[in-house]
Amino acid sequence: MSRNANKKPVGFGTHIIAGGIAGACEALACQPLDTIKVRMQLSRSGRAPGTKSRGFIATGINIVKRETPLALYKGLGAVLSGIVPKMAIRFASFETYKGWLADKSTGKTSVGNIFIAGLGAGTTEAIAVVTPMEVVKIRLQAQQHSLADPLEAPRYRNAGHAVYTIIREEGIATLYRGVSLTALRQATNQGANFTAYQEIKKFAHRMQPDLKELPSYQHMLIGLISGAMGPFSNAPIDTIKTRLQKAQAVPGQTAFQRIFAIAADMWKVEGVRSFYKGITPRVLRVAPGQAIVFAVYERVSTIIEKMTPSVREEDRYSE
């Protein structure tokens, strides 16, 4: 019997548990690189003629020296609080959209429709969870205060305090600042990510027909490759989004006008390279992050399926 025969949908509880655990592992492992990426994107270094932007290693060393190593985990609370719903929505919505787009006669989904399902999943998670989570995370990461000096009080004490302060001083709409850019970034990320992951995984199965299930290291390698594709395709979107979410709102200025003003200033003052600030730590963060997510998700899903006999191994979302 083929691996795809008699498929049954993976339960929503599996998406929550496996996705949440996978996301938490990713956040704990990769948060320092995300903090360095955000600082690089917000940095104005390299604006003066003849000067260069600070690199990701120098940025990381500077953070550690001035603010202690714990500063690399600024914003982690905001990330962890959103990881479970983010991952649950990502995998559950992808599976739902993939099912809607599947050929009714064969039950199979074409590569093009898998990409569309990934776009939909990325957009859904961006609107539901990612945008407010990232606004809070970026505000926390942007604070350049030393955790070793108790007298150097930050503007936002933690994720909860940041949410309260932002809503009180700037309005709840601020939590959705940059939602269009976030949705565009997440959509392209997940479209490329899911498509590459599933196609490479199918290829790996064809090359190893005797394996009932790929080993974890292969899931990690496939996730690493698929995860690297998004950052290169949408780096300018992510950099503009970061600056937009950090900035205060300008009265009378629309979201599109703010986006255009930020992009124009970057182009005029810092040049085209500014749109790719933070690309190195972003790739180093996203690619291994996706490797961790897919490997942990696959492993936890397998454990859950073994504990639930009615759900077969071949019923997994990615087959």
Side-chain angles (χ1 to χ4, degrees):
M1 182 180 295
S2 69
R3 188 179 287 110
N4 292 319
N6 302 320
K7 280 195 171 185
K8 298 177 184 177
V10 174
F12 190 72
T14 300
H15 293 301
I16 293 176
I17 297 170
I21 294 174
C25 291
E26 177 205 13
L28 290 170
C30 302
Q31 183 67 9
L33 287 167
D34 189 70
T35 299
I36 294 171
K37 180 212 73 170
V38 167
R39 288 291 183 86
M40 290 179 70
Q41 290 177 331
L42 296 175
S43 172
R44 296 302 194 264
S45 65
R47 290 169 69 99
T51 62
K52 290 185 177 181
S53 298
R54 183 182 292 142
F56 83 99
I57 294 178
T59 300
I61 292 173
N62 185 62
I63 293 172
V64 170
K65 287 175 62 177
R66 186 185 184 280
E67 306 171 50
T68 79
L70 287 177
L72 294 172
Y73 285 89
K74 285 180 177 179
L76 181 61
V79 174
L80 289 175
S81 65
I83 278 295
V84 172
K86 172 185 174 181
M87 290 300 176
I89 288 170
R90 173 182 297 178
F91 287 107
S93 62
F94 172 75
E95 184 66 23
T96 299
Y97 299 144
K98 192 177 81 167
W100 289 348
L101 296 167
D103 186 299
K104 304 307 177 187
S105 60
T106 64
K108 295 182 179 180
T109 309
S110 68
V111 176
N113 283 339
I114 286 176
F115 180 74
I116 294 173
L119 292 178
T123 302
T124 302
E125 71 177 17
I127 295 172
V129 179
V130 177
T131 303
M133 180 185 75
E134 290 211 343
V135 169
V136 174
K137 174 183 71 72
I138 288 169
R139 294 292 182 93
L140 290 167
Q141 289 174 319
Q143 296 185 129
Q144 300 191 32
H145 70 289
S146 175
L147 297 176
D149 184 357
L151 298 180
E152 193 172 347
R155 175 175 174 76
Y156 308 114
R157 294 191 296 272
N158 50 50
H161 181 251
V163 171
Y164 171 77
T165 303
I166 290 170
I167 293 176
R168 185 189 64 186
E169 296 181 358
E170 303 175 58
I172 194 169
T174 302
L175 293 176
Y176 281 87
R177 182 174 297 161
V179 65
S180 59
L181 292 176
T182 304
L184 183 59
R185 185 200 65 183
Q186 293 302 112
T188 52
N189 271 348
Q190 300 316 317
N193 193 18
F194 276 113
T195 304
Y197 184 82
Q198 293 205 7
E199 291 305 303
I200 298 173
K201 185 178 177 183
K202 289 176 184 176
F203 175 77
H205 273 298
R206 288 197 298 270
M207 294 295 102
Q208 305 165 100
D210 295 334
L211 285 181
K212 183 178 179 181
E213 182 181 352
L214 298 179
S216 292
Y217 82 88
Q218 291 189 22
H219 286 144
M220 291 193 73
L221 181 60
I222 297 169
L224 185 75
I225 296 170
S226 65
M229 295 185 176
F232 284 110
S233 66
N234 56 31
I237 296 171
D238 189 59
T239 303
I240 296 171
K241 176 201 70 68
T242 297
R243 294 198 180 190
L244 177 68
Q245 291 176 327
K246 167 63 171 61
Q248 298 291 321
V250 178
Q253 192 178 53
T254 66
F256 178 78
Q257 288 173 331
R258 287 198 297 272
I259 291 170
F260 181 80
I262 290 171
D265 180 68
M266 290 172 62
W267 179 274
K268 180 180 178 180
V269 179
E270 301 173 68
V272 68
R273 293 182 63 181
S274 67
F275 291 94
Y276 288 86
K277 278 188 172 182
I279 185 63
T280 301
R282 187 176 174 220
V283 171
L284 291 177
R285 184 237 183 278
V286 173
Q290 289 307 302
I292 293 169
V293 164
F294 279 115
V296 174
Y297 183 90
E298 297 275 5
R299 180 55 53 197
V300 175
S301 295
T302 298
I303 294 172
I304 294 173
E305 288 164 7
K306 288 179 179 178
M307 295 170 62
T308 312
S310 60
V311 180
R312 300 156 55 93
E313 200 288 339
E314 62 264 28
D315 297 335
R316 303 275 291 283
Y317 83 95
S318 57
E319 298 301 327

